[in-house]
Amino acid sequence: MQITSFSPFGYEGAMVTVEVDLRRGIPAVDLVGLADNAVKEARERMRAAIRNSGFDFPPERVLISLSPADVKKEGAGFDLAMALAVLYKKTQLTYNKETTKITQVLVMGELELSGRVRRVRGVHAAVSTAAENGICFCIVPHENAEEAAGVDGMSVFAVETLESAWKIYTHLPSIEKKEKETKKNTIASQATNTQEAVEFAPIIYGEDFSGVVGQSELIRALQIAAAGRHNVIAYGPPGCGKTLALRRFSSLLPQLTLEESQPVTRIYSIAGCLPVKTNLMRTPPFRMPHQSASLEGLIGGGKNCRPGEISLAHNGVLFLDEAAEFKVSVLQSLRVPLEEGRVVLSRAGRRTEFPAHFQLLIAANPCPCGNFGSDDKICVCSARSVEQYWRRFSAPLLDRIDIRVAVKANTADKTVSGEQAISTQELRKNIAVAVAIQRKRQGKPNAWLTPSETVFYCKLNEESKTYLEKQTNEQGFSSRAVHSCMKLARTIADMVENYDITIEHLKEAIEIRKSEAGSGILF
């Protein structure tokens, strides 16, 4: 019976086989297999844990091999696997051929000196990788049990101590492959049902859009953005409510399907950010990094190629508030991931690829002082400073943003007795309709359609084509901008359950795509 563990690196990681040999010589523990310091220190933790759990440590010289030998082993998740392998070799357990159907078992966990098993990161990634390699059984820390149960087809054994892990391990050959646990079946069934019925998370108190008054254009733009997962930039003077509205945007997004939640859960497991007692990340991530975020923090990297903010926002939202305050290199690094939905990291001969299909929300002031274009305030910025301010974003980055909203400052009369506020519950109705149509039609949001898919799914009649060509010449739209207008019009039509894109849908799409006339902002 072979013991395997997992070495997290990037998105993929590597399965590691743990082997033990006892030989004559001075009692010691030799570890081979390109282990880092955390794995090397496991020798002493393992020795103390075995003795404190009531077992005898082998008096011979112990050789532990971690293979493949050319893959660097990192982290503290090998402790439990190494301890079980040593005990197995010491006792020389033998089983008859009829009970050796289980050839491999995944084991992960960090050991305390007392023999207690501690939680480790990357368990979901390890279990899902093991399932892909045909392994059906895993022994993990009790605190990681829910995380491991999120992988279909895996029998999970949760342990709290080395002693309990050994009891389970010695009885594994006689255990027939069980049916999935009732709880895991229920979770998988609920996740599958979301493919048909669009579900939303409960509205958190204080995050309802009914608290955003006087910004009907912005709210309408966010509704369209949520329905088709389109990128948004909202610019306006300080205090106009753009940040207030954008922070509540996540309440408009439906819960993730099973297919969408699996990679999100894997990324959070690798990063060590998965909440305790969570099996699948059903809520779309909402990431809001600070303006001081580094390039590595946003894109990912480091010696272990950890995921960055754009990967942690996969199938969710990346919100950049006061975006002009971010480093130019950080902003420009978003261009390729926005286009391809992935980010490739290379470090010292090692390469990994993280998924990064995220929805970008940007909030910015119209100028450094924030008063450019305001009716009742004076802008003290020079024309050159305003131009340099917007050049931080660059035209290629802005061209990838479908929706542009110029947010006006609220007046006292408009805030108190003006427009009627719309609740989140009302906004969700049209969003749910559009999301259900897109999942059934093409299996992904309209904003993520490729150019060929855009032409196929976003067909325009002759009147709409003529109008779009006219607007393209007047506005100077690029080819990407033309496709953006078509995808926006497709989303608006989906929200009202229209199969055909009408001229009205296209007009609204073009209005929210182009910059506001007379604003002075160059897109």
Side-chain angles (χ1 to χ4, degrees), residues 194-234:
T194 56
Q195 300 275 4
E196 301 174 358
V198 179
E199 297 180 357
F200 292 86
I203 300 173
I204 301 176
Y205 177 77
E207 294 190 3
D208 196 289
F209 270 87
S210 59
V212 183
V213 184
Q215 297 295 356
S216 59
E217 294 181 2
L218 175 59
I219 293 176
R220 171 61 177 172
L222 294 181
Q223 185 186 29
I224 297 172
R229 304 307 299 271
H230 300 279
N231 302 322
V232 181
I233 180 171

Side-chain angles (χ1 to χ4, degrees), residues 443-458:
K444 59 182 177 181
N446 290 331
W448 298 350
L449 294 175
T450 63
S452 59
E453 291 173 336
T454 301
V455 175
F456 181 79
Y457 291 113
C458 307

Side-chain angles (χ1 to χ4, degrees), residues 10 27 63 102 107 143 180 202 325 383 448 467 469 479 481 487 517:
L63 173 63
I102 302 173
V107 181
E143 297 176 354
K180 302 182 185 79
E325 301 304 321
W448 298 350
Y467 182 78
E469 290 176 1
S479 298
K487 289 186 283 189

Side-chain angles (χ1 to χ4, degrees), residues 198 428-438 494-497:
V198 179
R428 283 178 170 181
K429 293 179 181 179
N430 290 342
I431 295 173
V433 171
V435 170
I437 291 174
Q438 292 166 49
D494 289 342
M495 293 172 66
V496 292
E497 298 185 83

Side-chain angles (χ1 to χ4, degrees), residues 328 332 386-395:
V328 175
Q332 300 312 312
V386 175
E387 182 181 358
Q388 290 178 337
Y389 179 84
W390 282 99
R391 283 187 182 277
R392 296 179 64 84
F393 295 100
S394 83

Side-chain angles (χ1 to χ4, degrees), residues 1-2 99-105 137 171-175:
M1 186 162 52
Q2 192 176 74
T99 59
T100 55
K101 296 179 181 179
I102 302 173
T103 58
Q104 287 183 306
V105 56
F137 294 88
H171 287 84
L172 272 180
S174 61
I175 298 176

